Amino acid sequence: MAKIGIVGAAGYTGGELLRILVNHPDVVLTCIMSNSQAGKLVSDVHTDLLGSTHARFCDQLCPVDVLFLCSGHGESKKFLAANEVPWHTKIVDLSTDFRDESEGFVYGLPEFQKEKIRTANKIANPGCFATSIELALMPLAAAGLIKSAVHVSAITGSTGAGQALSPTSHFSWRNNNVSIYKAFTHQHLTEIGMVLGSEYPAPKVNFIPYRGNFTRGIMANVYTDFAGTQEEAMELFENYYRDSPFVFVSPQAVDVKQVVNTNKCFLHLEVHEGQILISSVIDNLLKGASGQAVQNMNLMLGWDETAGLRLKAASF
């Protein structure tokens, strides 16, 4: 059994990790850190875990085999600078701090570089928007078929903004409302360019993100020029994801509820008059964060990639 530590375990991504790992067959949670909640029962903060764990939050790092960093952006670098983590401890960071693969971190999108992840000691987990958009475009990019600008319109639930309150996360503002933010400048564009430009020059990605009036999930609608047929597009995508246990190409239109509470990504393709539209749906807290982090852990430890991640969608 691998000993697991979580830094920032009281937040959304830390809570999702706890919900997955209390049922993972090969791990034991030994270090559940939160400076703000130290000493409290985990189930007093994540109340849905009542009966699942009797563990308490702590504020001191203890020896573990895998350490998940779930604090805010910029905090992972501070934590690692202030705490001595043994060289043999595997690290999965869920912040933006190391997604440029600096300081020995490997970008942790399994469908992009699974073999590199298997031998890594430190993983930078991808961003949620980045995951949905990269999975929509990687088959085209790998085949050298992105010949023009890519246009993305994507919407995310309120949990994508994290647990800290802000004027745009309050229920009274978010409910019955939709808004654009960070148009053309979203921070995930950097990692998207890195992935899509790994074999051919990175395309220009025009990305318009929306805040949705729902709790969790992402839908990204991505379109660009495409000279092939619907059948050729389906064959390309199905072959590319043939060995990816969480990515599925759907012949029908997809929606967010199909993937909420799972580590899956569903893709739907439509070819129209020289354009291809790829619709990509994920759960921003699972395939877009904590689920993918566990998937990376499984790969790093040589386990079944799907261990602990056979989750049920909340479809109605």
Side-chain angles (χ1 to χ4, degrees):
M1 300 287 282
K3 295 179 181 178
I4 304 298
I6 303 173
V7 177
Y12 285 150
T13 57
E16 288 300 283
L17 272 171
L18 287 166
R19 292 176 185 96
I20 296 169
L21 294 175
V22 294
N23 294 308
H24 193 291
D26 302 308
V27 308
V28 57
L29 290 159
T30 60
C31 188
I32 305 172
M33 292 184 65
S34 170
N35 291 331
S36 64
Q37 306 297 334
K40 291 184 181 179
L41 285 168
V42 167
S43 57
D44 284 346
V45 175
H46 300 295
T47 54
D48 56 304
L49 290 176
L50 179 66
S52 296
T53 178
H54 300 292
R56 292 182 182 271
F57 292 103
C58 65
D59 59 3
Q60 296 294 320
L61 183 63
C62 54
V64 293
D65 300 304
V66 182
L67 184 64
F68 293 93
L69 304 179
C70 297
S71 299
H73 303 310
E75 295 302 314
S76 294
K77 284 188 176 181
K78 294 178 185 177
F79 180 88
L80 293 176
N83 293 270
E84 189 172 340
V85 179
W87 67 267
H88 55 79
T89 298
K90 297 186 182 298
I91 298 172
V92 182
D93 178 35
L94 280 75
S95 78
T96 62
D97 292 13
F98 303 104
R99 290 178 188 160
D100 59 355
E101 297 198 318
S102 60
E103 300 186 30
F105 278 78
V106 169
Y107 189 72
L109 186 68
E111 295 78 12
F112 172 54
Q113 48 187 12
K114 186 177 294 186
E115 295 310 312
K116 195 173 179 181
I117 292 167
R118 290 188 198 275
T119 59
N121 208 50
K122 297 188 288 187
I123 292 293
N125 221 54
C128 51
F129 268 136
T131 296
S132 63
I133 295 166
E134 287 160 3
L135 292 175
L137 288 169
M138 284 195 306
L140 294 174
L145 295 177
I146 303 180
K147 305 294 188 182
S148 58
V150 174
H151 304 276
V152 182
S153 176
I155 188 167
T156 186
S158 58
T159 51
Q163 202 170 45
L165 289 177
S166 68
T168 58
S169 63
H170 287 281
F171 175 83
S172 57
W173 187 91
R174 198 101 181 193
N175 189 45
N176 297 322
N177 199 9
V178 175
S179 64
I180 288 173
Y181 72 110
K182 297 182 181 178
F184 304 112
T185 64
H186 196 279
Q187 65 272 16
H188 289 181
L189 283 167
T190 300
E191 58 191 281
I192 291 168
M194 180 183 74
V195 170
L196 298 183
S198 62
E199 294 185 49
Y200 295 92
K204 179 176 175 55
V205 178
N206 298 307
F207 177 27
I208 309 298
Y210 292 82
R211 302 180 184 96
N213 62 344
F214 51 94
T215 302
R216 59 196 293 166
I218 284 176
M219 171 175 273
N221 291 302
V222 182
Y223 66 94
T224 189
D225 292 338
F226 181 69
T229 65
Q230 178 78 27
E231 292 72 22
E232 289 169 338
M234 289 289 290
E235 183 179 7
L236 173 68
F237 275 70
E238 288 174 345
N239 285 338
Y240 189 89
Y241 290 119
R242 182 174 56 246
D243 298 320
S244 300
F246 294 112
V247 183
F248 301 91
V249 183
S250 170
Q252 289 88 33
V254 294
D255 61 73
V256 169
K257 275 195 171 184
Q258 291 175 288
V259 295
V260 165
N261 200 46
T262 79
N263 196 52
K264 296 176 181 177
C265 174
F266 284 1
L267 302 172
H268 175 66
L269 316 177
E270 293 185 26
V271 175
H272 294 282
E273 298 179 353
Q275 297 268 308
I276 185 169
L277 167 67
I278 308 112
S279 296
S280 172
V281 291
I282 64 168
D283 185 319
N284 59 292
L285 291 178
L286 288 175
K287 185 58 175 167
S290 303
Q292 186 151 246
V294 172
Q295 185 181 356
N296 281 318
M297 177 195 73
N298 289 337
L299 289 168
M300 295 166 80
L301 295 177
W303 295 343
D304 178 356
E305 188 175 352
T306 66
L309 293 170
R310 299 179 182 91
L311 306 170
K312 173 191 173 297
S315 60
F316 56 83

